[in-house]
Amino acid sequence: MRLFVALDLPWPLREHLATLIGGIPGARWVPDDNLHLTLRFIGEVNAPQAEEIDLALAALRGRAFALTLAGVGTFAKGGRETQLWAGVARNPALDHLQNKVETALQRAGLEPERRRFTPHVTLARLDNAVPQKIAGFVQAHNLFRAEPIRVDHFTLFSSRLGKEASVYTAEVAYPLSA
Ligand code: 2AM
């Protein structure tokens, strides 16, 4: 199965993010239900590996914290913008949790993640979008700032590739202490 570790987002925040959606013809918007913040992508694993991963994550001790989504931006590949996202206000507690997850997963036998952690909530894939429209969106929503949320758990998700959008299933939620 294909796994990743992420923060799910409470409904009011997903609803708020959904109000940003639109105005970029050709963008493939992420359905509200799928909006999340990935801590670590794992990829395909077999059942024994999944078990190891679950054990390692369950042994992780972390504390709850507040998180604020702020700003919007894009990732580009080969000079083309491919992904539109909402950003995260500076958050050492989030970085700390991500670090712990990374350590736990290495303990479970995964190769270290080489890419730097860039916390974001993907809003859309931009395959066929016009650059001016993307720039317009980023300008219009630059000052986006959501209400802070309290993060008191993180989640191991499985992902199945669907026809239109991927289908994510929360497999296990791991609590963070108060
Ligand atoms: P993204 O939001 O930046 O696209 C489930 O697919 C989650 O895992 C998504 O949040 C996605 O990040 C991330 N993801 C998917 N494939 C990935 C890959 N090959 N490397 C890193 N992250 C990936």
Side-chain angles (χ1 to χ4, degrees):
M1 54 170 106
R2 188 181 161 91
L3 299 177
F4 63 100
V5 180
L7 303 180
D8 55 17
L9 304 175
W11 170 240
L13 179 55
R14 282 185 281 127
E15 215 174 16
H16 188 176
L17 288 170
T19 65
L20 301 181
I21 280 168
I24 310 180
R28 282 189 296 131
W29 299 94
V30 175
D32 314 356
D33 281 346
N34 279 5
L35 292 165
H36 65 274
L37 192 164
T38 299
L39 295 172
R40 171 59 141 90
F41 180 71
I42 296 174
E44 285 293 334
V45 295
N46 58 31
Q49 283 173 311
E51 182 110 346
E52 282 298 314
I53 287 165
D54 173 44
L55 285 174
L57 292 176
L60 187 163
R61 295 286 164 259
R63 296 188 79 84
F65 58 93
L67 177 112
T68 303
L69 296 187
V72 294
T74 58
F75 290 145
K77 229 183 245 160
R80 271 196 50 205
E81 289 168 301
T82 54
Q83 206 170 323
L84 179 69
W85 42 258
V88 178
R90 204 186 83 83
N91 195 322
L94 173 65
D95 296 338
H96 191 61
L97 174 62
Q98 197 278 335
N99 235 299
K100 285 190 167 188
V101 168
E102 177 62 32
T103 305
L105 292 177
Q106 287 180 28
R107 205 169 290 143
L110 297 192
E111 290 296 314
E113 172 60 86
R114 306 240 165 262
R115 295 203 281 183
R116 211 173 136 252
F117 178 51
T118 312
H120 64 278
V121 176
T122 299
L123 299 175
R125 322 249 163 229
L126 298 171
D127 327 300
N128 299 311
V130 180
Q132 288 88 325
K133 294 282 182 188
I134 302 169
F137 180 98
V138 171
Q139 229 161 45
H141 296 294
N142 224 357
L143 295 178
F144 164 74
R145 192 174 180 92
E147 285 291 309
I149 59 162
R150 183 168 173 77
V151 177
D152 60 8
H153 65 279
F154 62 98
T155 304
L156 180 62
F157 283 93
S158 64
S159 157
R160 278 182 298 123
L161 300 176
K163 265 214 184 88
E164 297 283 313
S166 298
V167 179
Y168 300 143
T169 306
E171 299 288 346
V172 192
Y174 305 94
L176 298 166
S177 64

